[in-house]
Amino acid sequence: MMQRAIQSVTVLGATGSIGISTLDVLARHPERYSIFALTADCKWQLLAVQCLQYHPRYAVINNEAAAKLLASELREHGCKTEVLLGVEALAQVAAHADTDVVMAAIVGAAGLLPTLAAVNAGKKVLLANKEALVMAGGLFTRAVTEHKATLLPIDSEHNAIFQCLPNHRADYLAQGLVSSGVRKILLTGSGGPFRTLPLADLKHVTPEQACAHPNWSMGKKISVDSATMLNKGLELIEACWLFNARPEQVQVVIHPQSVIHSMVEFVDGSVLAQLGNPDMRTPIAHALAWPERIESGVASLDIIATARLDFSAPDYERFPCLRLALQAAQRSATAPAILNAANEVAVAAFLNSNIRFDQIAQIIDEVLQRQDVVEPDSIAQVIATDQTARQLAHAVIEGL
Ligand code: NDP
């Protein structure tokens, strides 16, 4: 039997929800994967535990004091992992010649440059950091082609769509979905924790309630995005870039059980769906091993116990953020980057209890109205757009 070469993996955002699930899957397959680098923003204690367990060559952290504490903890335990500091080091490990696979699981716009560094180095990139693609979709996908990177979706919906779409991916990427017999993509979403809450009560929901997703355990930012359904809007934009779809080819469907992770409808009337328990280790294992399959640790889906699957149309009065995201998808150019930046500022303000839940949509709307939308021709322009939108969002918050 032919010996398979061990793949060397960098996990950007190792201390987050996706990062931890990724390490869980990797640990099940030491004969296939080794860990090259692990990164975090500031959670040095957890990063230290991960380094002592997985012995990566590098650990990257953003905060200087945390870097010193991490280095001293690792030294004390005789761990040889080298500690690097800062944003440039993130890009450096993501693009390093000795890493084959990069899990892009930093949350928010902070993930853009390190993820792009991996793409520009032609790596196999597992994309959880949807914000990177939302911000810079055209430039990002062009870089994927130009540098022959392999981009695989980790978002459970996009991973499901990828599994349902025809195998000849190059065809739909070059000629559009219709040429591959696809009529539309059905992007499912649970509707989050406030799907049935009386509308008047949305004003009073707390960060704790917004972060308590009924089906998925996730980081705080994406949990709030799921509660506003802005997440589904970001996913729609992400789907357009990943699968060369137009916004009107993607239909958002509310499916509260989160058992179907999305569907694809073909011109002959066939609809293919991917089902599974709501556990991110399934898409992570799928993307890691693609086109092979590996064990993920996820329990078998008990389809009998699942019993029923419900579907409905999204309610735009309840979820104005979803409507704003659809409009940004249609406008394209820098509109999605503005939407994303305003949302990141608004969500952080909500999590700090500085604004109400229903004001998130109001802030995004005002920033989108105030800022010009242009076709970006460089990443520097995308980042400048992001910065301006953040300043505007802070100004809107101050004026509330
Ligand atoms: P978490 O908040 O749980 O983790 C985020 C990770 O990014 C942590 O390792 C964090 O470090 C690191 N990080 C945060 N800010 C920075 C920064 N400025 N620079 C460098 N690193 C940073 O997020 P999730 O794991 O939930 O989500 C990660 C990405 O995956 C998001 O883009 C999300 O939309 C996407 N995603 C997540 C899903 C999920 O189930 N969680 C599902 C589908 C997509 P530290 O721990 O030190 O703060």
Side-chain angles (χ1 to χ4, degrees):
M1 206 174 77
M2 211 178 72
Q3 195 88 27
R4 185 187 294 110
I6 290 188
Q7 291 189 298
S8 159
V9 183
T10 286
V11 184
L12 301 173
T15 49
S17 162
I18 293 287
I20 291 168
S21 293
T22 304
L23 290 173
D24 181 282
V25 177
L26 291 171
R28 291 166 194 275
H29 303 282
E31 75 297 348
R32 290 181 80 115
Y33 306 108
S34 66
I35 295 176
F36 178 74
L38 299 176
T39 85
D41 185 31
C42 55
K43 285 199 189 129
W44 70 269
Q45 289 103 328
L46 178 52
L47 191 57
V49 171
Q50 293 177 338
C51 289
L52 294 175
Q53 186 173 354
Y54 299 107
H55 301 283
R57 196 189 303 175
Y58 297 110
V60 185
I61 194 145
N62 254 348
N63 174 294
E64 199 168 345
K68 284 195 182 130
L69 291 163
L70 175 65
S72 112
E73 176 82 0
L74 295 182
R75 249 195 329 270
E76 207 172 290
H77 288 86
C79 175
K80 295 205 166 56
T81 298
E82 188 179 334
V83 176
L84 305 176
L85 172 69
V87 180
E88 275 160 29
L90 291 173
Q92 207 179 311
V93 294
H96 199 287
D98 293 344
T99 197
D100 306 303
V101 181
V102 175
M103 164 57 80
I106 291 174
V107 62
L112 175 62
L113 292 179
T115 307
L116 257 183
V119 166
N120 289 339
K123 304 296 179 193
K124 174 171 167 176
V125 179
L126 315 187
L127 187 74
N129 178 222
K130 66 191 88 184
E131 295 91 342
L133 203 52
V134 166
M135 290 172 74
L139 296 162
F140 191 106
T141 47
R142 245 169 280 150
V144 169
T145 311
E146 201 177 312
H147 298 283
K148 298 188 172 58
T150 303
L151 187 64
L152 294 166
I154 292 299
D155 235 321
S156 61
E157 294 78 0
H158 303 75
N159 186 271
I161 295 161
F162 180 65
Q163 292 195 48
C164 295
L165 280 170
N167 283 336
H168 42 100
R169 187 185 191 190
D171 290 355
Y172 63 77
L173 289 184
Q175 289 155 40
L177 289 172
V178 175
S179 72
S180 291
V182 175
R183 190 177 279 156
K184 65 178 173 183
I185 288 169
L186 295 127
L187 181 68
T188 55
S190 70
F194 307 137
R195 184 176 54 86
T196 55
L197 192 77
L199 280 182
D201 293 352
L202 282 177
K203 270 192 166 71
H204 310 297
V205 301
T206 63
E208 290 68 34
Q209 289 169 318
C211 288
H213 195 280
N215 306 334
W216 297 94
S217 156
M218 307 181 285
K220 283 186 179 166
K221 190 259 178 186
I222 186 178
S223 296
V224 177
D225 287 352
S226 298
T228 60
M229 282 201 81
L230 193 275
N231 182 52
K232 210 46 58 185
L234 297 180
E235 287 180 4
L236 185 142
I237 297 166
E238 185 187 8
C240 289
W241 289 116
L242 280 172
F243 307 120
N244 193 13
R246 296 187 307 278
E248 58 277 15
Q249 289 177 302
V250 185
Q251 180 184 352
V252 174
V253 179
I254 303 291
H255 165 48
Q257 291 89 357
S258 299
V259 167
I260 290 183
H261 299 308
S262 277
M263 299 173 259
V264 173
E265 182 182 322
F266 292 84
V267 286
D268 60 6
S270 300
V271 179
L272 299 191
Q274 187 260 2
L275 286 73
N277 285 321
D279 186 323
M280 288 307 294
R281 290 177 301 173
T282 294
I284 290 167
H286 172 267
L288 270 172
W290 181 84
E292 296 172 32
R293 296 272 178 175
I294 54 170
E295 176 66 45
S296 67
V298 175
S300 193
L301 175 66
D302 186 342
I303 198 79
I304 307 290
T306 301
R308 61 181 279 187
L309 302 173
D310 295 305
F311 305 98
S312 60
D315 172 352
Y316 292 103
E317 194 191 344
R318 177 179 294 278
F319 299 117
C321 283
L322 178 58
R323 180 177 41 77
L324 291 168
L326 290 182
Q327 289 164 354
Q330 276 146 3
R331 280 175 88 186
S332 199
T334 47
I338 297 168
L339 170 99
N340 180 67
N343 179 58
E344 285 192 25
V345 172
V347 169
F350 170 68
L351 286 171
N352 285 328
S353 303
N354 293 336
I355 62 162
R356 294 193 315 263
F357 181 76
D358 59 307
Q359 289 175 322
I360 296 174
Q362 188 186 336
I363 292 159
I364 299 171
D365 195 8
E366 285 198 30
V367 173
L368 276 165
Q369 285 184 41
R370 287 195 205 175
Q371 195 168 344
D372 290 339
V373 170
V374 295
E375 195 56 55
D377 52 24
S378 66
I379 291 297
Q381 199 179 350
V382 171
I383 290 170
T385 301
D386 172 270
Q387 294 303 320
T388 305
R390 281 170 199 271
Q391 285 162 9
L392 281 172
H394 284 297
V396 173
I397 290 171
E398 272 167 35
L400 284 174

